[in-house]
């Protein structure tokens, strides 16, 4: 592993996670533990030998741990160590900084519904310690995007999302492409494409109250 050779905590952190693809591997493992094949599928464009190299380096650094899952999985499963999970906050803050860059739309880029789990972490900051329970609308939302289903739960503890099964019951259903769903969740009210949202009147009221508090993907020049 190459090193910047600097006695600096940022420099030494980048020695571990600064290589190309490394932080995206960490992003996938923040979404949830994954098999090698799942990681390779979720990271279009990464070469198999490069993924293996990045995982090996992260294991050696103590960021990632690998275990052999029993049947019916019968595969090596990668997950973040406790120290590795400490990367969530800085990576979410970096993603939050990059939210305005999403205003350009998908273009020719790859998209995955599961990546919205991380987008949700960036769009909805953790509630402040002084925030009242009533400030956060309580609602459960199933998101169907690009072949994946996610369950978003909003309650006084904050907003969180996880990959779930298709057809998971929820008060509100949001369906569309990742770009459309992102626009809807971010509270973007422009004329761009938005997701299809269904639910009863009260649930929809709480859902849109939640999205109005999200970090809108404004163009950089408007910031």
């Amino acid at each position: 592993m190459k090193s910047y050779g600097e006695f600096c905590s940022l420099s030494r952190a980048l020695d571990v996670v600064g290589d190309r693809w490394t932080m995206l591997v960490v992003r996938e493992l923040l979404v949830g533990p994954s098999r090698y094949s799942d990681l390779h599928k979720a990271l279009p464009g990464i070469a198999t030998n490069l993924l293996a190299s990045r995982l090996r380096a992260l294991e050696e650094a103590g960021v990632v741990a690998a275990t052999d899952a029993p049947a019916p999985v019968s595969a090596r499963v990668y997950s973040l160590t406790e120290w590795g999970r400490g990367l969530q906050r800085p990576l979410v803050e970096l993603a939050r900084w990059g939210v305005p860059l999403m205003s350009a739309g998908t273009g020719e880029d790859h998209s995955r519904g599961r990546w919205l789990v991380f987008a949700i972490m960036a769009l909805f900051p953790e509630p402040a310690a002084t925030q009242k329970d009533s400030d956060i609308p309580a609602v459960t939302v199933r998101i169907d995007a690009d072949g994946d289903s996610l369950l978003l739960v909003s309650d006084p503890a904050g907003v969180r999302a996880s990959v779930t099964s298709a057809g998971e019951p929820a008060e509100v259903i949001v369906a569309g492409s990742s770009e459309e769903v992102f626009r809807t969740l971010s509270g973007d009210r422009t004329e761009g494409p938005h997701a299809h949202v269904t639910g009863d009147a009260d649930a929809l009221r709480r859902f849109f109250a939640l999205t109005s508090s999200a970090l809108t993907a404004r163009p950089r020049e408007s910031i």
Side-chain angles (χ1 to χ4, degrees):
M1 182 183 298
K2 294 182 179 179
S3 171
Y4 287 102
E6 296 181 357
F7 184 63
C8 164
S9 58
L10 176 60
S11 173
R12 291 193 174 180
L14 291 174
D15 285 348
V16 176
V17 297
D19 283 334
R20 181 172 169 81
W21 291 105
T22 297
M23 288 197 285
L24 296 185
V25 172
V26 172
R27 177 198 65 192
E28 291 303 311
L29 297 179
L30 282 169
V31 173
S34 298
R35 298 174 299 180
Y36 179 90
S37 58
D38 295 329
L39 285 170
H40 190 255
K41 180 180 178 181
L43 294 168
I46 191 171
T48 55
N49 62 330
L50 182 57
L51 175 57
S53 173
R54 294 295 183 260
L55 286 169
R56 184 167 56 252
L58 288 170
E59 278 192 84
E60 291 172 353
V63 175
V64 166
T67 57
D68 293 317
V73 177
S74 299
R76 200 157 179 79
V77 176
Y78 296 89
S79 60
L80 294 173
T81 62
E82 182 178 357
W83 187 52
R85 287 193 295 273
L87 285 165
Q88 176 170 322
R89 187 179 296 275
L91 290 190
V92 166
E93 288 300 326
L94 182 59
R96 190 167 291 147
W97 178 81
V99 162
L101 301 173
M102 302 292 280
S103 63
T106 306
E108 299 298 318
D109 288 349
H110 297 285
S111 65
R112 295 285 189 275
R114 63 181 279 115
W115 295 342
L116 289 167
V117 173
F118 202 80
I120 288 165
M121 296 182 197
L123 286 171
F124 299 97
E126 295 179 7
T130 58
Q131 195 169 19
K132 297 179 180 178
D133 291 353
S134 59
D135 291 340
I136 302 177
V139 63
T140 60
V141 182
R142 192 184 80 232
I143 299 169
D144 298 326
D146 294 337
D148 290 325
S149 292
L150 315 176
L151 185 66
L152 180 155
V153 177
S154 169
D155 58 29
V159 181
R160 54 201 179 278
S162 58
V163 177
T164 190
S165 57
E168 178 76 19
E171 295 176 286
V172 174
I173 307 299
V174 179
S177 68
S178 291
E179 179 179 350
E180 293 167 342
V181 171
F182 184 85
R183 282 179 176 271
T184 299
L185 292 178
S186 68
D188 187 337
R189 300 293 183 260
T190 64
E191 295 182 356
H194 288 73
H196 183 60
V197 182
T198 56
D200 65 38
D202 180 61
L204 290 175
R205 177 189 60 77
R206 286 180 279 125
F207 172 73
F208 286 114
L210 176 67
T211 61
S212 68
S213 69
L215 179 61
T216 302
R218 296 168 296 170
R220 281 171 291 173
E221 57 268 21
S222 70
I223 297 176

